[in-house]
Amino acid sequence: MSATTPPVEHEILIYARVSGKLDELVEDGIPFPMEMDSTLSEALDNMSCIPFIRFPVMSSYNALARDCAFTAAGAPAGTLGQPDIDLILQNSTPSPFGRGSENVMDPAYRSGREIPAADIGFTNNTVLGDVREDVKSGMFPGRKVEVKLYKLAIYEPGGHFDWHMDSTHSDEHHATLLVALNTSWKGGDLVLRRNDTETHINLQPQFDEKGEPILQAVAFFTDTEHRVEPVTEGVRIVFQYDIEAGEKVEDPKDDWMHEGEPWMDKVHSDYSSRMELQGIAQVISDKAAVEKVITIITELHKSGVDEVAFAMQHLYRKAAISAQCLKGSDTVLYNALLASGLFDISLHPVVLRETSDYEGTVDERYAYRADGVEMDTATSSDPAKKKKKISREFHIPKLSAIQKISSRDYVEHTGNSAMPAEYRYFGGGMFVRAK
Ligand SMILES: O=C(O)CCC(=O)C(=O)O
Ligand SMILES: [Fe+2]
């Protein structure tokens, strides 16, 4: 053996060591009962939803999308991959825009043409299945999402649309989806603006290694200001859809409670699919959504929960999570909690444990801090207070980043008793106490 070869431990031994450590963490730690579907987890989800996503129409669907044929005023208008531009233009009318309660024409504000959804026909609209799933996991987790065509918009050279927010067409209409057809143009960037941050989006198709166009799509909340910069050459054609998101999970069994499947698997898989969405734009939280979270935490403290904790939206691999390494909406919330001056906040890695029997009836879910540093159970020097039992809760938003670390399915009768199924996950937690 050469002197420079480092000793390599067999992976079974590493696993045995690590899994023993995991058991220890859970056995020694203070259990925090987990809360799902709580008011706080819902407010955290609202705060950290991605307000807009830009994505290519995904590979397997892209070919289908390109070949998807449609008609304009009853006449074949080609496919998304090869639209009949002349026919589309012939069947379109100039677009008005809403000013107050009126629809007006003002080419200085908006110059474009359109065909309303009622005049568009699809033989087989295959694009939407995949796009709908992306929109759902990125923007409306756990909600019933429907995508409805609103219109086809056409911008010729000089065409543009100044800053505006889309008017909503129903109570459930919460976002707009745009899918650009395969035409070529110059200029015509879509610019999105939230909280004073502007993001430019070029919806021109990208091309794969075989030279085939990959259609581009973008979805954004209806309260996102946006504009279309002037097109300088070519023709830009975009399908515009209304995204309707219901308040409720479409079917709890279907969505969050697959029978026999751990609840948190769904959270984990939603997190993975969100990570797969390419070109995710920055996550920007809205002030009101952050304030709502703070109000709920304050109420929980007042109602007697001493320590309110929750899973964070991003995954932190470090042994010690610090305020400096926080990302996206986790940073926004941490800073807002700190700025309020009301709270003591600490950040810790956590192990989440879910156990259930064969029928899934005995469900126990606890979160444990996984950094070996236990909280002092009372900070007060008053001995009477020291005895007080600390009340704790750990909330799991649907958008939390958790990683599965071990799973043991239900084991039927080994000896006297059956062993419950047990699943463990790892994540980052924010722990908040009142000052
Ligand atoms: O075509 C686009 O990129 C957006 C058009 C738009 O904002 C609208 O018609 O409301
Ligand atoms: Fe718009």
Side-chain angles (χ1 to χ4, degrees):
M1 202 211 262
S2 112
T4 53
T5 312
V8 179
E9 192 177 9
H10 192 280
E11 61 186 293
I12 290 178
L13 296 176
I14 297 175
Y15 178 77
R17 192 158 45 78
V18 171
S19 90
K21 180 81 187 148
L22 287 174
D23 285 338
E24 251 169 60
L25 281 170
V26 170
E27 270 149 29
D28 300 346
I30 300 169
F32 282 66
M34 268 199 254
E35 302 282 333
M36 273 85 132
D37 286 327
S38 64
T39 324
L40 177 58
S41 49
E42 200 175 296
L44 285 161
D45 277 334
N46 284 339
M47 200 201 86
S48 51
C49 271
I50 300 166
F52 57 89
I53 359 173
R54 183 205 161 189
F55 47 94
V57 175
M58 296 297 179
S59 52
S60 56
Y61 280 84
N62 188 46
L64 294 170
R66 282 197 309 251
D67 294 342
C68 176
F70 65 100
T71 57
T79 61
L80 271 67
Q82 223 173 349
D84 184 337
I85 299 176
D86 290 337
L87 184 122
I88 292 169
L89 276 169
Q90 277 161 28
N91 286 289
S92 66
T93 52
S95 303
F97 73 93
R99 183 174 277 162
S101 57
E102 280 176 276
N103 269 343
V104 296
M105 296 286 181
D106 179 354
Y109 198 84
R110 178 185 195 181
S111 162
R113 302 179 69 82
E114 63 186 58
I115 303 178
D119 292 345
I120 306 266
F122 280 102
T123 31
N124 181 14
N125 196 351
T126 40
V127 199
L128 292 179
D130 210 36
V131 169
R132 197 184 74 103
E133 286 313 306
D134 287 343
V135 164
K136 193 170 158 166
S137 64
M139 303 171 84
F140 301 103
R143 288 169 69 177
K144 181 181 162 72
V145 169
E146 276 188 55
V147 179
K148 294 184 176 161
L149 183 65
Y150 179 58
K151 68 177 184 201
L152 183 65
I154 308 118
Y155 292 88
E156 295 174 276
H160 69 104
F161 194 171
D162 214 335
W163 287 115
H164 68 283
M165 284 197 268
D166 287 345
S167 32
T168 51
H169 307 123
S170 72
D171 285 350
E172 300 202 317
H173 174 198
H174 293 302
T176 295
L177 167 71
L178 304 171
V179 180
L181 276 55
N182 178 31
T183 65
S184 65
W185 69 86
K186 291 219 167 94
D189 273 8
L190 173 73
V191 190
L192 298 174
R193 181 164 71 189
R194 278 182 84 86
N195 297 357
D196 299 325
T197 305
E198 289 185 11
T199 307
H200 279 250
I201 292 171
N202 177 353
L203 284 173
Q204 299 232 52
Q206 308 287 307
F207 291 88
D208 66 14
E209 54 298 341
K210 289 192 212 125
E212 299 285 359
I214 305 167
L215 304 178
Q216 302 295 303
V218 62
F220 49 89
F221 288 162
T222 43
D223 62 355
T224 308
E225 289 178 287
H226 57 283
R227 74 181 170 120
V228 181
E229 293 191 326
V231 168
T232 53
E233 271 178 43
V235 183
R236 179 185 187 276
I237 306 179
V238 169
F239 273 117
Q240 180 172 333
Y241 299 86
D242 292 348
I243 298 173
E244 293 188 345
E247 288 303 327
K248 291 262 149 62
V249 172
E250 47 201 295
D251 178 351
K253 255 205 233 110
D254 220 45
D255 223 339
W256 289 98
M257 311 280 185
H258 275 303
E259 236 174 301
E261 243 180 65
W263 190 90
M264 282 186 294
D265 261 9
K266 177 71 182 135
V267 177
H268 168 69
S269 91
D270 267 8
Y271 171 68
S272 310
S273 52
R274 261 185 315 133
M275 291 300 108
E276 276 168 23
L277 287 178
Q278 292 175 30
I280 289 183
Q282 62 265 59
V283 175
I284 307 164
S285 303
D286 290 312
K287 272 206 190 81
V290 176
E291 271 155 26
K292 177 99 200 256
V293 170
I294 297 182
T295 308
I296 295 171
I297 293 177
T298 310
E299 280 164 6
L300 285 170
H301 285 149
K302 282 196 190 132
S303 76
V305 184
D306 301 285
E307 187 159 29
V308 177
F310 49 86
M312 290 198 277
Q313 210 219 332
H314 293 275
L315 200 58
Y316 303 96
R317 292 169 187 282
K318 297 211 171 77
I321 304 173
S322 65
Q324 293 84 339
C325 69
L326 292 181
K327 293 182 272 199
S329 59
D330 293 333
T331 324
V332 174
L333 179 57
Y334 182 87
N335 290 340
L337 287 166
L338 202 65
S340 74
L342 300 170
F343 309 107
D344 283 325
I345 315 150
S346 60
L347 305 165
H348 303 277
V350 286
V351 169
L352 311 165
R353 185 167 72 151
E354 176 170 3
T355 52
S356 65
D357 71 6
Y358 176 65
E359 272 149 26
T361 43
V362 186
D363 270 332
E364 283 193 354
R365 298 185 182 95
Y366 288 101
Y368 301 82
R369 281 179 37 184
D371 48 9
V373 189
E374 284 313 335
M375 281 291 203
D376 46 338
T377 43
T379 41
S380 164
S381 53
D382 178 346
K385 276 197 183 156
K386 259 195 181 139
K387 291 208 189 76
K388 180 177 171 269
K389 202 170 172 304
I390 298 287
S391 149
R392 313 181 154 87
E393 281 180 3
F394 195 94
H395 296 253
I396 308 273
K398 294 190 173 86
L399 287 184
S400 27
I402 58 173
Q403 188 92 27
K404 195 171 197 167
I405 46 179
S406 73
S407 71
R408 184 193 67 215
D409 289 330
Y410 174 84
V411 184
E412 233 171 318
H413 296 280
T414 48
N416 293 335
S417 58
M419 301 249 278
E422 196 215 63
Y423 309 91
R424 288 183 191 193
Y425 302 79
F426 176 74
M430 203 178 291
F431 295 69
V432 188
R433 288 188 177 202
K435 265 195 177 153

